[in-house]
Amino acid sequence: QQPREARFAGIHYDIEPYTTKRWKRGEYTQVSTELLETIRILRYTTEQADPYLRLSHDIPFWYSGTEDYELEFRGVTKFLNEHIQDQCDSVGIMSYRTKMVGEHSAAYISREELAYAASTNKRVYLSLETIPLPDTPQISFYQRDPEELVQAIRELHAQLRHTPGYGGIYLHYYSQLRPMIEAWNARSQNKP
């Protein structure tokens, strides 16, 4: 038996139903309902294993704000992000942008999830991307100067740190991120 401080804090999922053929055929409601039922079972299983375990799930920013992603689940009609946020302790938003504040920025595209988190006393973590995205290179820090990523993190945190519902920043993807941070650390240590 591990001491409480050495145990897992929680479980973090990233189920992306929009990559399935059914979603691409327009079966949003059916696939979303299956996702929500899966998360409901995960919530129950997690609570049964240890009531202190936290449950987190990653979602894209576009699960809110459009009729396509509004559905009834267990008698309640809400946007998909709200149903997921209701069942989880926190969510990570795939808010991939290299612009942190202002129109179409990471903060801007996450505003609905942040507002809902604030209203339900939950947390939202905004995410920044470091992998190559050939179709949308403007939303990733891949092959950019590590200083840009560090400055972006500082700018985003400064913008949101007093925002209710804001929990912090996730960085994706470790194998790309690590060399960037090592390069930034080496450069910082060599500064006078």
Side-chain angles (χ1 to χ4, degrees), residues 40-103:
R40 187 189 69 77
I41 293 167
L42 293 170
R43 169 94 268 167
Y44 174 79
T45 304
T46 302
E47 287 176 349
Q48 294 304 304
D50 184 340
Y52 293 100
L53 282 174
R54 314 295 284 166
L55 181 65
S56 182
H57 197 288
D58 289 339
I59 61 174
F61 66 89
W62 45 263
Y63 273 177
S64 59
T66 176
E67 268 182 33
D68 285 342
Y69 309 116
E70 187 174 34
L71 70 147
E72 181 181 334
F73 181 67
R74 298 190 158 249
V76 178
T77 300
K78 293 183 177 184
F79 289 112
L80 181 53
N81 71 293
E82 295 171 338
H83 283 300
I84 293 171
Q85 286 179 261
D86 286 345
Q87 295 188 75
C88 296
D89 298 298
S90 64
V91 295
I93 306 296
M94 294 179 215
S95 53
Y96 304 150
R97 293 292 184 271
T98 53
K99 180 180 176 186
M100 296 302 103
V101 298
E103 194 172 2

Side-chain angles (χ1 to χ4, degrees), residues 13-67:
Y13 281 91
D14 182 7
I15 301 171
E16 300 181 18
Y18 45 84
T19 63
T20 66
K21 290 178 183 176
R22 289 177 57 215
W23 184 282
K24 291 174 183 175
R25 285 194 308 259
E27 297 177 33
Y28 310 128
T29 301
Q30 299 90 332
V31 176
S32 295
T33 300
E34 291 168 14
L35 171 67
L36 292 170
E37 190 60 36
T38 299
I39 295 171
R40 187 189 69 77
I41 293 167
L42 293 170
R43 169 94 268 167
Y44 174 79
T45 304
T46 302
E47 287 176 349
Q48 294 304 304
D50 184 340
Y52 293 100
L53 282 174
R54 314 295 284 166
L55 181 65
S56 182
H57 197 288
D58 289 339
I59 61 174
F61 66 89
W62 45 263
Y63 273 177
S64 59
T66 176
E67 268 182 33

